[in-house]
Amino acid sequence: MSDSTTNTPVTPSTTANPEDVVTQLRAIRQLIPEYGQIPATVKTTLHSAANVSPHFVNASINTIGASTVVQAAVGRSPEELLQESSDVARWSAVEDELRAMLNGVTAANLGRRHRLGLTALQTYGVTRQLTRKSEHADLLPHLDNMQRLNRFGRKKATSDPTPSSTPIPIPTQTPQTPQK
């Protein structure tokens, strides 16, 4: 965030939790005029007219201002259209800021998922090393569970398993040699 008058970063006094942010976003949603979701099929039909050149829009507003007949035919005044054009420009700044915020939240979550995944992979590696020694045999069920759930280094299962692709069970405890 930054202070709009000085462009200096504003540091929040506390960090919000995700639930509070969602609540605030839902409250802000109520303040946005004409806020709503549009089905993809409707959105597609709106695009062509919504993407008319701004110069063309300005020329049409000037035409409406020059002819009461045209104004009566379209049912809109030049003042209304100028206000709506201004609103589009001002709300596009909100759209850009929300897109930037979404990108920032996405980046923050990517960092969180990366740290979490890296720790999980490190845990798996350390556990694999430790279970090679019998004094850490109590970790074998945990290792087996991680191996079962690990998607890295696994080949996709075929629909018709052949005898050669059937996994061979690995003993969960290290065999002990009898002492003489």
Side-chain angles (χ1 to χ4, degrees):
M1 269 197 292
S2 66
D3 184 345
S4 62
T5 57
T6 62
N7 283 335
T8 56
V10 175
T11 357
S13 57
T14 60
T15 302
N17 66 48
E19 294 78 15
D20 290 343
V21 172
V22 168
T23 300
Q24 289 178 349
L25 289 173
R26 288 179 179 160
I28 290 171
R29 196 167 53 190
Q30 301 301 313
L31 302 174
I32 300 172
E34 300 180 50
Y35 175 86
Q37 303 298 322
I38 300 174
T41 53
V42 175
K43 200 181 291 188
T44 303
T45 62
L46 298 178
H47 271 288
S48 57
N51 291 320
V52 169
S53 158
H55 298 293
F56 184 82
V57 170
N58 288 338
S60 71
I61 293 171
N62 292 338
T63 304
I64 291 170
S67 170
T68 56
V69 175
V70 175
Q71 183 175 340
V74 296
R76 310 267 317 262
S77 72
E79 295 77 25
E80 287 177 85
L81 295 170
L82 286 170
Q83 181 60 53
E84 191 156 30
S85 178
S86 172
D87 290 348
V88 166
R90 292 170 54 218
W91 280 101
S92 71
V94 174
E95 189 177 352
D96 291 345
E97 196 61 37
L98 286 171
R99 191 171 288 112
M101 182 180 287
L102 175 61
N103 289 339
V105 170
T106 300
N109 257 351
L110 177 61
R112 289 180 191 103
R113 284 192 305 270
H114 175 263
R115 286 190 307 272
L116 195 57
L118 186 59
T119 301
L121 290 170
Q122 288 171 334
T123 301
Y124 177 70
V126 168
T127 305
R128 281 182 54 200
Q129 292 294 321
L130 288 173
T131 55
R132 291 179 179 175
K133 297 183 179 183
S134 61
E135 63 261 22
H136 298 289
D138 59 322
L139 293 175
L140 284 169
H142 298 285
L143 178 63
D144 289 344
N145 192 37
M146 284 189 285
Q147 285 175 330
R148 184 178 54 81
L149 298 171
N150 184 13
R151 66 181 180 140
F152 293 103
R154 295 181 86 185
K155 294 182 181 178
K156 290 185 179 179
T158 59
S159 59
D160 188 280
T162 60
S164 62
S165 67
T166 307
I168 300 169
I170 299 172
T172 57
Q173 292 194 1
T174 309
Q176 296 182 3
T177 55
Q179 294 181 351
K180 295 182 183 179

